[in-house]
Amino acid sequence: IGQAASGLILGNSVVTTQGSGNGVENQAELANVELRNTTINVDGNGAGVRTGVNFTAASTATINVNGNDGTGFLFQLANGQPTTNDFVLTDKYAINLAATSRRSIGVNANTTGDVLITTPLEDLGTRNTAVYITNAGQANIDSDIAINTTSGSGGTGIYIENAETAIVDGRVSVGAAGG
C-alpha cells in the first residue's frame, strides 16, 4: 500500500509470498485497510502482513506461514523500529505455522503501545514462536495457542520482552514435542 493510496479493501483473495517480500506491506501506514476473508500464504521469509497501524475492525483473514524465518503478522514500522500505536489482533484472524515452517513467528508486535491478541494460533513447525512481543505497555493475550501438538519440536508459545505488564488469559497447549 503506497504513500499515495487512501485505503485498500482486499476481498476474498489468496495472496502468496515467496522470498523476502510481504503479502500486505502497509508502507503508507493507513488504518483504512480491510481484509475480507483473505488468505495469505507466507512461503518465504517475509511477512504475511507488515503494518504499524491496525486495520479495520471488520477485517477477517487466515495467515499460513509455510516457510523458514517467516512471520504471519508483523506490527512495527517499515524501518524495523517500534510503532507507538496500540495493536489489536482479533479472533477474526487465524494464524497457522505449518509443519514445514522453521524459526518462524506467528505474531510479532514491536510497539510501545498496548497489545491485545485474541486470534487463535497453531504451530506445527520447528523452533517457531507463536507470539513475540517487545516494548509494549500492556500485553494482553487472550487466545488459544497450540504448540507442536502433532509434529515439530522446540516451539515457544509466548515470548514477551520489555513490556510494562503482561496478562495471559488464553489457553496455551504445548504438545510432547513442544518446548
Side-chain angles (χ1 to χ4, degrees):
I1 306 168
Q3 295 295 335
S6 61
L8 172 71
I9 295 175
L10 188 58
N12 191 14
S13 303
V14 176
V15 176
T16 301
T17 69
Q18 297 178 348
S20 60
N22 300 326
V24 177
E25 168 57 46
N26 191 2
Q27 180 184 25
E29 304 298 356
L30 295 174
N32 189 22
V33 176
E34 185 172 325
L35 305 178
R36 293 183 181 169
N37 297 317
T38 304
T39 299
I40 302 172
N41 297 309
V42 182
D43 291 346
N45 61 359
V49 173
R50 200 290 314 153
T51 184
V53 298
N54 289 305
F55 291 168
T56 66
S59 288
T60 58
T62 298
I63 302 173
N64 302 306
V65 181
N66 304 308
N68 297 335
D69 303 306
T71 301
F73 202 108
L74 177 58
F75 191 75
Q76 69 179 18
L77 298 176
N79 64 7
Q81 295 297 309
T83 181
T84 58
N85 295 312
D86 292 344
F87 177 45
V88 177
L89 192 64
T90 69
D91 60 358
K92 294 179 184 178
Y93 289 82
I95 299 179
N96 305 299
L97 298 161
T100 56
S101 65
R102 305 286 182 270
R103 301 172 310 277
S104 294
I105 298 173
V107 177
N108 186 343
N110 183 12
T111 179
T112 58
D114 292 340
V115 175
L116 173 61
I117 297 172
T118 61
T119 187
L121 291 107
E122 182 174 35
D123 174 14
L124 300 176
T126 300
R127 303 211 183 285
N128 295 330
T129 301
V131 177
Y132 188 96
I133 299 173
T134 53
N135 304 310
Q138 178 171 303
N140 189 341
I141 301 165
D142 189 12
S143 60
D144 290 338
I145 300 172
I147 307 300
N148 298 316
T149 55
T150 60
S151 67
S153 63
T156 300
I158 301 168
Y159 179 86
I160 301 173
E161 180 179 357
N162 298 329
E164 293 175 21
T165 306
I167 301 168
V168 179
D169 289 327
R171 183 179 67 210
V172 179
S173 303
V174 180

PDB file of all heavy atoms in Angstrom, residues 94-120:
ATOM      1  N   ALA A  94      -6.945 -15.935  11.839  1.00  0.00           N
ATOM      2  CA  ALA A  94      -6.387 -17.222  12.272  1.00  0.00           C
ATOM      3  C   ALA A  94      -4.974 -17.282  11.714  1.00  0.00           C
ATOM      4  O   ALA A  94      -4.747 -16.956  10.539  1.00  0.00           O
ATOM      5  CB  ALA A  94      -7.214 -18.387  11.758  1.00  0.00           C
ATOM      6  N   ILE A  95      -4.019 -17.660  12.551  1.00  0.00           N
ATOM      7  CA  ILE A  95      -2.632 -17.736  12.113  1.00  0.00           C
ATOM      8  C   ILE A  95      -2.116 -19.138  12.375  1.00  0.00           C
ATOM      9  O   ILE A  95      -2.210 -19.655  13.488  1.00  0.00           O
ATOM     10  CB  ILE A  95      -1.769 -16.675  12.818  1.00  0.00           C
ATOM     11  CG1 ILE A  95      -2.317 -15.285  12.453  1.00  0.00           C
ATOM     12  CG2 ILE A  95      -0.305 -16.825  12.427  1.00  0.00           C
ATOM     13  CD1 ILE A  95      -1.593 -14.137  13.090  1.00  0.00           C
ATOM     14  N   ASN A  96      -1.580 -19.744  11.315  1.00  0.00           N
ATOM     15  CA  ASN A  96      -1.108 -21.118  11.374  1.00  0.00           C
ATOM     16  C   ASN A  96       0.353 -21.188  10.944  1.00  0.00           C
ATOM     17  O   ASN A  96       0.711 -20.687   9.875  1.00  0.00           O
ATOM     18  CB  ASN A  96      -1.945 -22.001  10.445  1.00  0.00           C
ATOM     19  CG  ASN A  96      -3.422 -21.897  10.739  1.00  0.00           C
ATOM     20  OD1 ASN A  96      -3.862 -22.212  11.829  1.00  0.00           O
ATOM     21  ND2 ASN A  96      -4.192 -21.433   9.774  1.00  0.00           N
ATOM     22  N   LEU A  97       1.169 -21.798  11.783  1.00  0.00           N
ATOM     23  CA  LEU A  97       2.559 -22.078  11.440  1.00  0.00           C
ATOM     24  C   LEU A  97       2.611 -23.553  11.045  1.00  0.00           C
ATOM     25  O   LEU A  97       2.461 -24.438  11.881  1.00  0.00           O
ATOM     26  CB  LEU A  97       3.471 -21.781  12.631  1.00  0.00           C
ATOM     27  CG  LEU A  97       3.466 -20.312  13.085  1.00  0.00           C
ATOM     28  CD1 LEU A  97       4.003 -20.172  14.496  1.00  0.00           C
ATOM     29  CD2 LEU A  97       4.249 -19.456  12.128  1.00  0.00           C
ATOM     30  N   ALA A  98       2.799 -23.808   9.747  1.00  0.00           N
ATOM     31  CA  ALA A  98       2.702 -25.161   9.202  1.00  0.00           C
ATOM     32  C   ALA A  98       3.863 -26.050   9.650  1.00  0.00           C
ATOM     33  O   ALA A  98       4.902 -25.562  10.108  1.00  0.00           O
ATOM     34  CB  ALA A  98       2.673 -25.090   7.675  1.00  0.00           C
ATOM     35  N   ALA A  99       3.697 -27.356   9.479  1.00  0.00           N
ATOM     36  CA  ALA A  99       4.745 -28.315   9.831  1.00  0.00           C
ATOM     37  C   ALA A  99       6.021 -28.049   9.038  1.00  0.00           C
ATOM     38  O   ALA A  99       7.109 -28.403   9.482  1.00  0.00           O
ATOM     39  CB  ALA A  99       4.250 -29.742   9.590  1.00  0.00           C
ATOM     40  N   THR A 100       5.912 -27.411   7.882  1.00  0.00           N
ATOM     41  CA  THR A 100       7.085 -27.096   7.054  1.00  0.00           C
ATOM     42  C   THR A 100       7.822 -25.849   7.519  1.00  0.00           C
ATOM     43  O   THR A 100       8.908 -25.549   7.021  1.00  0.00           O
ATOM     44  CB  THR A 100       6.670 -26.893   5.590  1.00  0.00           C
ATOM     45  OG1 THR A 100       5.662 -25.869   5.541  1.00  0.00           O
ATOM     46  CG2 THR A 100       6.124 -28.184   4.988  1.00  0.00           C
ATOM     47  N   SER A 101       7.250 -25.090   8.461  1.00  0.00           N
ATOM     48  CA  SER A 101       7.869 -23.831   8.906  1.00  0.00           C
ATOM     49  C   SER A 101       8.970 -24.095   9.932  1.00  0.00           C
ATOM     50  O   SER A 101       8.894 -25.025  10.726  1.00  0.00           O
ATOM     51  CB  SER A 101       6.815 -22.889   9.490  1.00  0.00           C
ATOM     52  OG  SER A 101       6.251 -23.433  10.669  1.00  0.00           O
ATOM     53  N   ARG A 102      10.000 -23.245   9.865  1.00  0.00           N
ATOM     54  CA  ARG A 102      11.143 -23.344  10.782  1.00  0.00           C
ATOM     55  C   ARG A 102      11.522 -21.938  11.223  1.00  0.00           C
ATOM     56  O   ARG A 102      11.604 -21.023  10.391  1.00  0.00           O
ATOM     57  CB  ARG A 102      12.369 -23.977  10.114  1.00  0.00           C
ATOM     58  CG  ARG A 102      12.148 -25.336   9.479  1.00  0.00           C
ATOM     59  CD  ARG A 102      12.010 -26.427  10.537  1.00  0.00           C
ATOM     60  NE  ARG A 102      11.842 -27.740   9.954  1.00  0.00           N
ATOM     61  CZ  ARG A 102      10.683 -28.296   9.652  1.00  0.00           C
ATOM     62  NH1 ARG A 102       9.556 -27.643   9.852  1.00  0.00           N
ATOM     63  NH2 ARG A 102      10.606 -29.510   9.156  1.00  0.00           N
ATOM     64  N   ARG A 103      11.776 -21.735  12.521  1.00  0.00           N
ATOM     65  CA  ARG A 103      12.244 -20.456  13.067  1.00  0.00           C
ATOM     66  C   ARG A 103      11.337 -19.295  12.641  1.00  0.00           C
ATOM     67  O   ARG A 103      11.790 -18.186  12.408  1.00  0.00           O
ATOM     68  CB  ARG A 103      13.690 -20.162  12.639  1.00  0.00           C
ATOM     69  CG  ARG A 103      14.696 -21.208  13.077  1.00  0.00           C
ATOM     70  CD  ARG A 103      16.061 -20.994  12.477  1.00  0.00           C
ATOM     71  NE  ARG A 103      16.063 -20.791  11.039  1.00  0.00           N
ATOM     72  CZ  ARG A 103      16.029 -21.755  10.126  1.00  0.00           C
ATOM     73  NH1 ARG A 103      16.011 -23.018  10.496  1.00  0.00           N
ATOM     74  NH2 ARG A 103      16.028 -21.465   8.836  1.00  0.00           N
ATOM     75  N   SER A 104      10.060 -19.533  12.574  1.00  0.00           N
ATOM     76  CA  SER A 104       9.095 -18.514  12.152  1.00  0.00           C
ATOM     77  C   SER A 104       8.324 -17.982  13.352  1.00  0.00           C
ATOM     78  O   SER A 104       8.369 -18.546  14.443  1.00  0.00           O
ATOM     79  CB  SER A 104       8.139 -19.108  11.114  1.00  0.00           C
ATOM     80  OG  SER A 104       8.841 -19.433   9.931  1.00  0.00           O
ATOM     81  N   ILE A 105       7.608 -16.875  13.133  1.00  0.00           N
ATOM     82  CA  ILE A 105       6.843 -16.216  14.190  1.00  0.00           C
ATOM     83  C   ILE A 105       5.410 -16.024  13.696  1.00  0.00           C
ATOM     84  O   ILE A 105       5.197 -15.542  12.586  1.00  0.00           O
ATOM     85  CB  ILE A 105       7.466 -14.852  14.551  1.00  0.00           C
ATOM     86  CG1 ILE A 105       8.892 -15.038  15.084  1.00  0.00           C
ATOM     87  CG2 ILE A 105       6.601 -14.116  15.573  1.00  0.00           C
ATOM     88  CD1 ILE A 105       9.645 -13.734  15.301  1.00  0.00           C
ATOM     89  N   GLY A 106       4.447 -16.368  14.527  1.00  0.00           N
ATOM     90  CA  GLY A 106       3.049 -16.154  14.159  1.00  0.00           C
ATOM     91  C   GLY A 106       2.684 -14.686  14.204  1.00  0.00           C
ATOM     92  O   GLY A 106       2.261 -14.102  13.209  1.00  0.00           O
ATOM     93  N   VAL A 107       2.835 -14.036  15.369  1.00  0.00           N
ATOM     94  CA  VAL A 107       2.544 -12.617  15.553  1.00  0.00           C
ATOM     95  C   VAL A 107       3.771 -11.974  16.195  1.00  0.00           C
ATOM     96  O   VAL A 107       4.216 -12.408  17.256  1.00  0.00           O
ATOM     97  CB  VAL A 107       1.319 -12.388  16.466  1.00  0.00           C
ATOM     98  CG1 VAL A 107       1.090 -10.899  16.685  1.00  0.00           C
ATOM     99  CG2 VAL A 107       0.079 -13.044  15.878  1.00  0.00           C
ATOM    100  N   ASN A 108       4.295 -10.941  15.549  1.00  0.00           N
ATOM    101  CA  ASN A 108       5.435 -10.190  16.073  1.00  0.00           C
ATOM    102  C   ASN A 108       4.973  -8.751  16.279  1.00  0.00           C
ATOM    103  O   ASN A 108       4.739  -8.028  15.314  1.00  0.00           O
ATOM    104  CB  ASN A 108       6.609 -10.248  15.097  1.00  0.00           C
ATOM    105  CG  ASN A 108       7.862  -9.608  15.658  1.00  0.00           C
ATOM    106  OD1 ASN A 108       7.822  -8.840  16.620  1.00  0.00           O
ATOM    107  ND2 ASN A 108       8.988  -9.910  15.034  1.00  0.00           N
ATOM    108  N   ALA A 109       4.813  -8.338  17.541  1.00  0.00           N
ATOM    109  CA  ALA A 109       4.342  -6.991  17.873  1.00  0.00           C
ATOM    110  C   ALA A 109       5.490  -6.201  18.494  1.00  0.00           C
ATOM    111  O   ALA A 109       5.933  -6.511  19.598  1.00  0.00           O
ATOM    112  CB  ALA A 109       3.167  -7.055  18.828  1.00  0.00           C
ATOM    113  N   ASN A 110       5.953  -5.186  17.779  1.00  0.00           N
ATOM    114  CA  ASN A 110       7.040  -4.318  18.228  1.00  0.00           C
ATOM    115  C   ASN A 110       6.456  -2.915  18.361  1.00  0.00           C
ATOM    116  O   ASN A 110       6.463  -2.142  17.401  1.00  0.00           O
ATOM    117  CB  ASN A 110       8.195  -4.372  17.225  1.00  0.00           C
ATOM    118  CG  ASN A 110       9.391  -3.562  17.663  1.00  0.00           C
ATOM    119  OD1 ASN A 110       9.492  -3.114  18.801  1.00  0.00           O
ATOM    120  ND2 ASN A 110      10.316  -3.359  16.736  1.00  0.00           N
ATOM    121  N   THR A 111       5.905  -2.614  19.533  1.00  0.00           N
ATOM    122  CA  THR A 111       5.212  -1.343  19.746  1.00  0.00           C
ATOM    123  C   THR A 111       5.371  -0.890  21.188  1.00  0.00           C
ATOM    124  O   THR A 111       5.465  -1.722  22.093  1.00  0.00           O
ATOM    125  CB  THR A 111       3.711  -1.459  19.416  1.00  0.00           C
ATOM    126  OG1 THR A 111       3.082  -0.193  19.655  1.00  0.00           O
ATOM    127  CG2 THR A 111       3.009  -2.529  20.239  1.00  0.00           C
ATOM    128  N   THR A 112       5.391   0.409  21.395  1.00  0.00           N
ATOM    129  CA  THR A 112       5.379   0.952  22.753  1.00  0.00           C
ATOM    130  C   THR A 112       3.944   1.142  23.237  1.00  0.00           C
ATOM    131  O   THR A 112       3.720   1.491  24.389  1.00  0.00           O
ATOM    132  CB  THR A 112       6.135   2.287  22.829  1.00  0.00           C
ATOM    133  OG1 THR A 112       5.530   3.213  21.915  1.00  0.00           O
ATOM    134  CG2 THR A 112       7.604   2.102  22.481  1.00  0.00           C
ATOM    135  N   GLY A 113       2.975   0.896  22.361  1.00  0.00           N
ATOM    136  CA  GLY A 113       1.568   0.953  22.740  1.00  0.00           C
ATOM    137  C   GLY A 113       1.146  -0.344  23.415  1.00  0.00           C
ATOM    138  O   GLY A 113       1.951  -1.240  23.664  1.00  0.00           O
ATOM    139  N   ASP A 114      -0.136  -0.456  23.723  1.00  0.00           N
ATOM    140  CA  ASP A 114      -0.682  -1.668  24.324  1.00  0.00           C
ATOM    141  C   ASP A 114      -0.967  -2.706  23.244  1.00  0.00           C
ATOM    142  O   ASP A 114      -1.202  -2.362  22.080  1.00  0.00           O
ATOM    143  CB  ASP A 114      -1.962  -1.351  25.091  1.00  0.00           C
ATOM    144  CG  ASP A 114      -1.706  -0.504  26.328  1.00  0.00           C
ATOM    145  OD1 ASP A 114      -0.554  -0.466  26.813  1.00  0.00           O
ATOM    146  OD2 ASP A 114      -2.668   0.127  26.813  1.00  0.00           O
ATOM    147  N   VAL A 115      -0.969  -3.981  23.634  1.00  0.00           N
ATOM    148  CA  VAL A 115      -1.195  -5.085  22.709  1.00  0.00           C
ATOM    149  C   VAL A 115      -2.328  -5.957  23.235  1.00  0.00           C
ATOM    150  O   VAL A 115      -2.333  -6.329  24.410  1.00  0.00           O
ATOM    151  CB  VAL A 115       0.084  -5.941  22.541  1.00  0.00           C
ATOM    152  CG1 VAL A 115      -0.188  -7.165  21.683  1.00  0.00           C
ATOM    153  CG2 VAL A 115       1.218  -5.107  21.971  1.00  0.00           C
ATOM    154  N   LEU A 116      -3.290  -6.279  22.370  1.00  0.00           N
ATOM    155  CA  LEU A 116      -4.353  -7.231  22.681  1.00  0.00           C
ATOM    156  C   LEU A 116      -4.428  -8.232  21.540  1.00  0.00           C
ATOM    157  O   LEU A 116      -4.673  -7.849  20.392  1.00  0.00           O
ATOM    158  CB  LEU A 116      -5.708  -6.539  22.856  1.00  0.00           C
ATOM    159  CG  LEU A 116      -6.916  -7.471  23.008  1.00  0.00           C
ATOM    160  CD1 LEU A 116      -6.778  -8.360  24.240  1.00  0.00           C
ATOM    161  CD2 LEU A 116      -8.210  -6.679  23.044  1.00  0.00           C
ATOM    162  N   ILE A 117      -4.194  -9.493  21.849  1.00  0.00           N
ATOM    163  CA  ILE A 117      -4.238 -10.547  20.837  1.00  0.00           C
ATOM    164  C   ILE A 117      -5.287 -11.568  21.263  1.00  0.00           C
ATOM    165  O   ILE A 117      -5.176 -12.166  22.338  1.00  0.00           O
ATOM    166  CB  ILE A 117      -2.863 -11.222  20.670  1.00  0.00           C
ATOM    167  CG1 ILE A 117      -1.838 -10.198  20.169  1.00  0.00           C
ATOM    168  CG2 ILE A 117      -2.948 -12.410  19.711  1.00  0.00           C
ATOM    169  CD1 ILE A 117      -0.418 -10.699  20.149  1.00  0.00           C
ATOM    170  N   THR A 118      -6.313 -11.752  20.420  1.00  0.00           N
ATOM    171  CA  THR A 118      -7.341 -12.757  20.687  1.00  0.00           C
ATOM    172  C   THR A 118      -7.425 -13.781  19.552  1.00  0.00           C
ATOM    173  O   THR A 118      -8.289 -14.642  19.583  1.00  0.00           O
ATOM    174  CB  THR A 118      -8.722 -12.102  20.910  1.00  0.00           C
ATOM    175  OG1 THR A 118      -9.111 -11.398  19.731  1.00  0.00           O
ATOM    176  CG2 THR A 118      -8.698 -11.159  22.103  1.00  0.00           C
ATOM    177  N   THR A 119      -6.565 -13.670  18.551  1.00  0.00           N
ATOM    178  CA  THR A 119      -6.585 -14.594  17.423  1.00  0.00           C
ATOM    179  C   THR A 119      -6.053 -15.968  17.823  1.00  0.00           C
ATOM    180  O   THR A 119      -5.102 -16.061  18.596  1.00  0.00           O
ATOM    181  CB  THR A 119      -5.751 -14.029  16.244  1.00  0.00           C
ATOM    182  OG1 THR A 119      -5.924 -14.866  15.111  1.00  0.00           O
ATOM    183  CG2 THR A 119      -4.281 -13.954  16.569  1.00  0.00           C
ATOM    184  N   PRO A 120      -6.667 -17.042  17.333  1.00  0.00           N
ATOM    185  CA  PRO A 120      -6.111 -18.369  17.602  1.00  0.00           C
ATOM    186  C   PRO A 120      -4.854 -18.608  16.767  1.00  0.00           C
ATOM    187  O   PRO A 120      -4.772 -18.174  15.626  1.00  0.00           O
ATOM    188  CB  PRO A 120      -7.235 -19.323  17.196  1.00  0.00           C
ATOM    189  CG  PRO A 120      -8.076 -18.551  16.243  1.00  0.00           C
ATOM    190  CD  PRO A 120      -7.928 -17.103  16.603  1.00  0.00           C
TER     191      PRO A 120
END
